Amino acid sequence: MRGRPTTYDSDAVVLKAQEVFWEKGYSATSLQDLQTATQMGSGSLYNTFRGGKKELFSKALQQRREAFLAFKQEMKQHPAPIELIKDFFRSLAEADEHTHMKGCIVANTVTALAFVDNDLEAEAVGILKDVERMFTDTIREAQRSGTITNPADAAVLGRYLITCWNGLNVTRRMHPNKEKMKELIGIQLSILA
Amino acid sequence: MRGRPTTYDSDAVVLKAQEVFWEKGYSATSLQDLQTATQMGSGSLYNTFRGGKKELFSKALQQRREAFLAFKQEMKQHPAPIELIKDFFRSLAEADEHTHMKGCIVANTVTALAFVDNDLEAEAVGILKDVERMFTDTIREAQRSGTITNPADAAVLGRYLITCWNGLNVTRRMHPNKEKMKELIGIQLSILA
DNA sequence: CAATTTTTGTAATGATCATTACAAAAATAT
DNA sequence: ATATTTTTGTAATGATCATTACAAAAATTG
């Protein structure tokens, strides 16, 4: 018995929810907001995501995690992975104002939910740590190959890079401006040498 | 006619409110939370802060602004202000875990309220820009006196420093650990040379 | 002490919150 | 076609939301 088939594409629904969560954050997003964004009634919504708002947010976070894993895959077949990372940072400056104002949903979650929802906060921290690990591994390899001359511990430099990312996601809201962001990122990356 | 005098100290009340807001953020903090923390009933609370929750949060932000202005004053009579800034960063590493998890209420506000409350977000951005300006001015002076050898534009280095601050306030929640934070801050400051 | 002013505590307000209940609708399988 | 299964829309749930109304309490001033 198959029963009535779903008319909603779960991935697309999570993506719509992700957009709302990204802008307003977990606490300020109401189920009404989510129903409007996804065009789902509460019946379908709770039937699809029995965990309610929290499960939907978790799925949205995991969707960002997938995006990161895709980037990591792309990097594996690149001749100079560290250049891809640098380019990723530099491309940040080219974003439009709205993108600047949104920041990073993962970092947003870490700052907003530490004393509100431990599970979701831990999930977000986990993603950022994965990114940090990728930075560290890439830097270690670039040091071996001589692409990076800074001899500091790769783990510290990786932590430095994720901190650059975290910082940019606040500062870009203070200065959603291409030129200012470009200069800033240039200084940040200059440390790798 | 004087009328019945207030039994609540407004500054102390705002401080209590600030503590709750700092941990849970604007959206996730309920008036019930604020009444519990301040030991005020809704009658007194709305009599004292006619603007309700929003005015109370604004006052809490301004209280942080005052703390910053006090630091700036202290700096003025210091022989080497840039050293005070470096020490401020280095002292971050010594914080206890709970302090690490709280981060910075001003940066928290910028990330959480951009699409929720424009006024409060703008207020927070204003404070961060004031801090950035202080960084820039101090760096410019340190360059003149030769305390800092990095010849980059002081405005860019100031923007770099506020971005370090913003980044640390996320990363310290990933790694609320003295040793890791110490190494990280060391690398960040090494750029000033 | 009486008039006045302000604070305070309690109760009520209507709105919105996340979630559930449930029956009608729409599909499949026999 | 009928039984079965699942989705869907609507309505209702009780809780909590921020805020207001209001009268009693507590102070000052004359």
Side-chain angles (χ1 to χ4, degrees), chain A residues 137-187:
Chain A
D137 293 344
T138 308
I139 288 169
R140 186 176 293 116
E141 186 50 38
Q143 285 175 324
R144 271 201 199 107
S145 70
T147 321
I148 282 182
T149 59
N150 189 323
D153 184 356
V156 178
L157 289 175
R159 211 178 305 142
Y160 168 79
L161 271 195
I162 191 68
T163 307
C164 286
W165 167 250
N166 290 332
L168 287 171
N169 280 308
V170 180
T171 302
R172 65 199 299 201
R173 311 194 212 214
M174 302 169 59
H175 303 292
N177 172 282
K178 186 184 293 190
E179 206 45 52
K180 289 187 176 177
M181 290 298 290
K182 202 173 166 180
E183 295 169 331
L184 171 58
I185 293 164
I187 283 270

Side-chain angles (χ1 to χ4, degrees), chain A residues 4-18:
Chain A
R4 182 174 172 173
T6 320
T7 66
Y8 299 111
D9 173 25
S10 181
D11 274 1
V13 164
V14 172
L15 185 64
K16 279 294 176 191
Q18 185 199 107

Side-chain angles (χ1 to χ4, degrees), chain B residues 126-182:
Chain B
I127 297 175
L128 288 184
K129 283 188 173 175
D130 283 348
V131 177
E132 179 184 341
R133 192 171 306 117
M134 180 198 68
F135 285 156
T136 299
D137 293 345
T138 308
I139 288 168
R140 186 177 294 115
E141 186 50 38
Q143 285 175 324
R144 270 201 199 106
S145 71
T147 321
I148 281 182
T149 59
N150 189 323
D153 183 358
V156 179
L157 288 174
R159 210 177 307 142
Y160 168 80
L161 270 194
I162 192 67
T163 308
C164 286
W165 168 249
N166 291 332
L168 287 171
N169 280 309
V170 180
T171 302
R172 67 201 297 205
R173 310 194 212 213
M174 302 169 57
H175 303 292
N177 171 284
K178 186 182 295 192
E179 207 46 53
K180 289 187 177 180
M181 291 297 292
K182 202 172 168 183

Side-chain angles (χ1 to χ4, degrees), chain A residues 97-111:
Chain A
E97 176 160 340
H98 185 256
T99 304
H100 280 313
M101 294 311 291
K102 280 173 61 185
C104 165
I105 191 179
V106 186
N108 295 356
T109 301
V110 173
T111 61

Side-chain angles (χ1 to χ4, degrees), chain A residues 2-139:
Chain A
R2 208 87 292 245
R4 182 174 172 173
T6 320
T7 66
Y8 299 111
D9 173 25
S10 181
D11 274 1
V13 164
V14 172
L15 185 64
K16 279 294 176 191
Q18 185 199 107
E19 290 170 12
V20 186
F21 280 134
W22 201 326
E23 290 193 357
K24 318 226 304 182
Y26 183 70
S27 299
T29 299
S30 69
L31 250 97
Q32 193 57 252
D33 292 331
L34 294 169
Q35 289 176 220
T36 304
T38 61
Q39 296 282 48
M40 279 174 105
S42 55
S44 305
L45 223 156
Y46 275 91
N47 184 58
T48 313
F49 308 99
R50 250 157 298 177
K53 189 182 172 181
K54 184 165 175 172
E55 181 186 342
L56 203 34
F57 190 86
S58 174
K59 290 253 162 71
L61 271 186
Q62 289 313 312
Q63 216 171 47
R64 293 315 302 161
R65 191 169 207 288
E66 296 302 324
F68 157 68
L69 291 176
F71 177 82
K72 210 170 78 170
Q73 275 312 112
E74 187 196 339
M75 225 177 56
K76 274 189 178 169
Q77 58 197 69
H78 196 278
I82 188 70
E83 287 307 317
L84 214 62
I85 289 177
K86 284 183 174 181
D87 283 347
F88 167 75
F89 273 96
R90 285 191 272 254
S91 71
L92 265 187
E94 309 295 327
D96 59 36
E97 176 160 340
H98 185 256
T99 304
H100 280 313
M101 294 311 291
K102 280 173 61 185
C104 165
I105 191 179
V106 186
N108 295 356
T109 301
V110 173
T111 61
L113 298 191
F115 295 90
V116 176
D117 190 301
N118 239 289
D119 303 326
L120 294 175
E121 197 252 354
E123 238 177 274
V125 165
I127 297 175
L128 288 184
K129 283 189 174 174
D130 284 347
V131 177
E132 178 184 341
R133 194 170 306 118
M134 180 197 67
F135 286 156
T136 300
D137 293 344
T138 308
I139 288 169

